């Protein structure tokens, strides 16, 4: 069996690259694996040799100790790879296929999957709805920041790239299809972005920049990105976005200076539960983004909430927030007849179309999020640099495909 190295959570702000077992077509016991999933047979699965696997802001929440993730949980839900083995129940995916792996794990058989709600599959996580690789409380499917990873329901889940050489040429863009590009795009679709819209994106991390890219692809007239990190705001400006510096206060006045009124047509939350208040010295205030978006969103508008919110946060600022209970101004939302869309992006709804946009040079998502490839062994430093606020989307290169 080939060796298998992987990035594992070792405690708050501590990750290590460790040796793990090569995947088999059975879910074994391990850190975070739901007891009801132990021994689960996966004849419908494929083993994927990782071509690229990215560090995500959602991973950082766990690494900061802001979830109930167990020590030794193997991280990584943004996976692109080459199929090296298939189970006896796989009919269409073949060894040698180059594929994108949606971060949602979905069976393709349940009511939600059949309705296109693959982010809340009913059959992959015994303790709740929805699942993802290498993520806390999502069934215990082993993460993909590794040399090899098991993908269940391969015929359903995997998006095959049409040409191997073309895929490798554009791999830094295509690796964004597993999560952040569809997620950012979903935020904009959920917010009702259409040609001519004015759009505000809260957060200039990689997901926020992906949302800004999605808004441009959908035809927005103005895309405004708000953040407290000047390096990340500069990255947003590099591909045509307007920016709001939230160290100077709330967004409304600055938005008015850009579009002539303190409102936008569409608003997206790409921050989530570790949000800070506005102003240079503001501390953590997790409801800030949601409340500010309700204020600046035009009456009758829509909010796309793609920032992560959790029900277990041991590092939260108060007891309510530790359980995911935030002080929302729901009255504002009700009075303005606002609509809200939350939850995991159903990646399959978008990834084929976004793949075609990449392959036909309609979008440069890797450039917009400032993607940088590093080795698997350099992952701990990548996590530390990303946590410090650098405006880089780190892409791990475990098997040397990107260099090739």
């Amino acid at each position: 069996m080939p060796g298998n190295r992987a990035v594992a959570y070792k405690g708050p702000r501590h990750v290590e690259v460790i040796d793990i077992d090569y995947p088999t077509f059975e879910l074994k016991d391990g850190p975070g694996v739901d007891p009801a999933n132990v021994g689960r047979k996966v004849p419908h699965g494929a083993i994927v040799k990782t071509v690229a696997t990215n560090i995500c802001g959602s991973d950082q929440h766990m690494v900061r100790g802001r979830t109930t993730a167990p020590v030794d949980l193997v991280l990584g839900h943004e996976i692109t790879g080459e199929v090296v083995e298939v189970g006896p129940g796989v009919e269409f995916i073949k060894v040698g296929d180059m594929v994108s792996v949606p971060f949602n794990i979905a069976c393709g058989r349940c009511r939600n999957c059949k309705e296109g709600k693959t982010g809340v599959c009913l059959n992959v996580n015994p303790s709740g709805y929805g699942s993802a690789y290498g993520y806390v409380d999502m069934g215990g499917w082993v993460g993909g920041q590794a040399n090899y990873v098991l993908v269940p329901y391969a015929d359903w889940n995997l998006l095959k790239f049409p040409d191997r050489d073309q895929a490798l040429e554009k791999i830094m863009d295509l690796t964004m299809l597993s999560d952040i590009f569809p997620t950012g795009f979903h935020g904009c679709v959920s917010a009702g972005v259409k040609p001519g819209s004015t759009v505000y994106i809260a957060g200039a991390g990689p997901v926020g920049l992906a949302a800004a890219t999605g808004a441009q692809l959908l035809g927005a007239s103005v895309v405004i990105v708000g953040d407290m990190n000047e390096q990340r705001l500069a990255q947003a400006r590099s591909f045509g976005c307007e920016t709001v510096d939230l160290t100077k206060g709330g967004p409304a006045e600055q938005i008015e200076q850009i579009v002539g009124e303190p409102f936008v047509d569409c608003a997206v939350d790409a921050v989530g539960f570790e949000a800070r208040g506005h102003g240079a010295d503001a501390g953590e205030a997790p409801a800030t983004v949601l409340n500010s978006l309700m204020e600046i969103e035009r009456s009758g508008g829509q909010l796309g909430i793609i920032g992560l919110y959790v029900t277990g946060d041991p590092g939260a600022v108060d007891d309510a927030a530790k359980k995911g209970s935030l002080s929302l101004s729901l009255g504002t939302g009700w009075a303005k007849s606002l609509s809200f869309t939350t939850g995991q992006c159903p990646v399959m709804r978008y990834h084929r179309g976004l793949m075609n946009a990449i392959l036909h040079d309609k979008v440069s998502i890797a450039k917009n999020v400032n993607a940088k490839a590093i080795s698997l062994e350099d992952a701990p430093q990548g996590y530390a640099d990303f946590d410090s606020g650098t405006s880089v989307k780190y892409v791990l290169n475990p098997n040397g495909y990107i260099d090739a």
Side-chain angles (χ1 to χ4, degrees):
M1 289 289 182
N4 198 16
R5 299 274 285 166
V7 181
Y9 171 67
K10 287 290 189 175
R13 301 188 185 277
H14 184 196
V15 301
E16 289 182 11
V17 183
I18 64 172
D19 292 307
I20 64 170
D21 291 339
Y22 184 83
T24 64
F25 296 105
E26 178 181 326
L27 190 55
K28 299 178 180 178
D29 197 8
V33 178
D34 191 295
N37 260 349
V38 174
R40 183 170 180 164
K41 307 297 183 183
V42 191
H44 43 69
I47 295 174
V48 171
K49 186 177 183 180
T50 305
V51 173
T53 178
N54 315 328
I55 296 175
C56 181
S58 297
D59 297 320
Q60 285 285 15
H61 292 306
M62 289 188 291
V63 171
R64 292 188 188 114
R66 297 299 299 268
T67 72
T68 56
V71 169
D72 286 331
L73 180 76
V74 173
L75 303 169
H77 56 271
E78 300 189 8
I79 309 160
T80 307
E82 179 179 8
V83 176
V84 293
E85 292 186 51
V86 295
V90 177
E91 184 176 2
F92 304 112
I93 289 292
K94 306 298 183 185
V95 170
D97 286 348
M98 299 288 284
V99 294
S100 179
V101 184
F103 81 90
N104 323 109
I105 301 172
C107 72
R109 297 154 166 80
C110 70
R111 172 179 176 174
N112 282 352
C113 283
K114 290 180 178 181
E115 293 177 355
K117 301 171 184 174
T118 54
V120 281
C121 174
L122 301 173
N123 288 331
V124 289
N125 184 0
S127 64
Y129 300 118
S131 191
Y133 304 89
Y135 214 85
V136 59
D137 296 332
M138 288 195 173
W141 300 91
V142 178
Q145 288 177 11
N147 297 110
Y148 299 90
V149 64
L150 172 67
V151 175
Y153 304 102
D155 282 329
W156 169 251
N157 281 307
L158 293 177
L159 174 67
K160 178 183 174 181
F161 299 137
D163 180 84
R164 177 188 178 85
D165 292 338
Q166 184 187 35
L168 288 172
E169 180 184 349
K170 293 183 176 291
I171 194 62
M172 292 295 281
D173 292 290
L174 293 172
T175 189
M176 305 304 162
L177 291 174
S178 58
D179 182 357
I180 69 164
F181 197 13
T183 293
F185 195 81
H186 176 63
C188 293
V189 171
S190 301
V193 178
K194 57 183 183 295
S197 297
T198 59
V199 182
Y200 178 72
I201 312 289
V207 171
L209 297 174
T213 303
Q216 291 176 338
L217 195 59
L218 287 164
S221 59
V222 181
V223 180
I224 307 166
V225 180
D227 204 289
M228 309 181 87
N229 181 320
E230 175 50 35
Q231 184 182 0
R232 291 180 170 183
L233 291 175
Q235 183 63 29
R237 290 192 293 271
S238 75
F239 60 97
C241 299
E242 301 285 348
T243 58
V244 164
D245 182 353
L246 296 171
T247 66
K248 298 178 180 178
E253 183 177 342
Q254 296 178 69
I255 287 172
E256 185 172 16
Q257 293 172 359
I258 296 168
V259 298
E261 57 184 1
F263 305 107
V264 292
D265 299 323
C266 311
V268 177
D269 170 10
V271 178
F273 72 101
E274 288 191 68
R276 292 168 56 190
H278 298 143
D281 300 319
E284 187 170 313
T288 299
V289 170
L290 294 173
N291 286 332
S292 66
L293 292 190
M294 285 190 277
E295 292 176 3
I296 65 169
E297 175 67 28
R298 189 180 305 281
S299 294
Q302 299 164 226
L303 305 184
I305 303 171
I306 53 175
L308 176 68
Y309 291 88
V310 297
T311 57
D313 175 10
V317 293
D318 56 48
D319 289 340
K322 288 179 180 179
K323 299 180 291 184
S325 297
L326 308 182
S327 298
L328 297 181
S329 180
L330 190 59
T332 300
W334 191 94
K336 296 178 73 172
S337 296
L338 301 180
S339 300
F340 302 74
T341 299
T342 66
Q344 290 186 32
C345 164
V347 169
M348 284 190 209
R349 194 176 298 175
Y350 308 105
H351 66 174
R352 185 175 299 277
L354 294 177
M355 175 188 73
N356 287 333
I358 290 169
L359 294 179
H360 293 282
D361 299 317
K362 298 301 182 185
V363 67
S364 299
I365 182 64
K367 173 179 174 290
N368 290 2
V369 301
N370 197 23
K372 178 182 178 181
I374 61 175
S375 72
L376 187 72
E377 300 296 330
D378 287 335
Q381 187 61 52
Y383 269 96
D385 291 346
F386 188 32
D387 191 49
S388 74
T390 187
S391 185
V392 175
K393 175 67 172 177
Y394 287 104
V395 177
L396 303 182
N397 179 25
N399 292 302
Y401 283 86
I402 297 175
D403 293 338

